[in-house]
Amino acid sequence: METSTSGERIPAEAVRLLEALLTGDEPVHRALLAQIPFLHVTGRCRCSCASLDFGLDRSLVPAAPVIGNPVADATVVDVEGEPVGGALVFAHDGYLSNLEMYTWGDDRITRLPTPDRLC
């Protein structure tokens, strides 16, 4: 990842994607969802994929009870509904740390998919 000191807010597309990936009634997902409003982008992948690294002021929100990683994942499908890759959400020490996009083919996922492209 390429680091950034800009502290830019995470894009709305990332918020929607994280919310879709962290659905469910598990305590870890509820706690991580509460962190989203405090996230900022600290890095982007150098390969031009849509992966993002996050940072946040840990004094503003409690840590989630994370046991392992990834804390959420889903398959990403193309417009025809064919699987093309996936999305992974990671947390470090109970705090959201990154959203990783990957593909199974040669084409990278260069834009964050909409939640309707997750399965």
Side-chain angles (χ1 to χ4, degrees):
M1 289 285 180
E2 181 176 298
T3 58
S4 167
T5 56
S6 68
E8 68 183 275
R9 300 283 301 154
I10 66 168
E13 299 84 15
V15 170
R16 287 190 291 273
L17 195 56
L18 286 170
E19 289 172 344
L21 288 162
L22 295 170
T23 59
D25 200 30
E26 294 130 27
V28 63
H29 286 183
R30 287 194 311 267
L32 292 172
L33 281 168
Q35 295 176 9
I36 293 173
F38 303 98
L39 293 177
H40 56 272
V41 175
T42 61
R44 296 178 183 275
C45 193
R46 292 180 189 209
C47 78
S48 75
C49 75
S51 297
L52 299 170
D53 284 339
F54 304 126
L56 75 156
D57 181 345
R58 292 180 176 198
S59 69
L60 298 175
V61 64
V66 174
I67 297 171
N69 274 302
V71 294
D73 65 347
T75 299
V76 175
V77 297
D78 64 15
V79 293
E80 288 85 30
E82 295 297 318
V84 294
L88 303 168
V89 179
F90 292 92
H92 182 68
D93 294 334
Y95 294 94
L96 287 168
S97 59
N98 65 305
L99 173 61
E100 182 178 329
M101 305 304 303
Y102 65 90
T103 59
W104 294 318
D106 293 333
D107 294 331
R108 291 186 179 100
I109 298 175
T110 58
R111 299 183 72 208
L112 292 173
T114 55
D116 64 328
R117 295 274 177 89
L118 301 177
C119 62

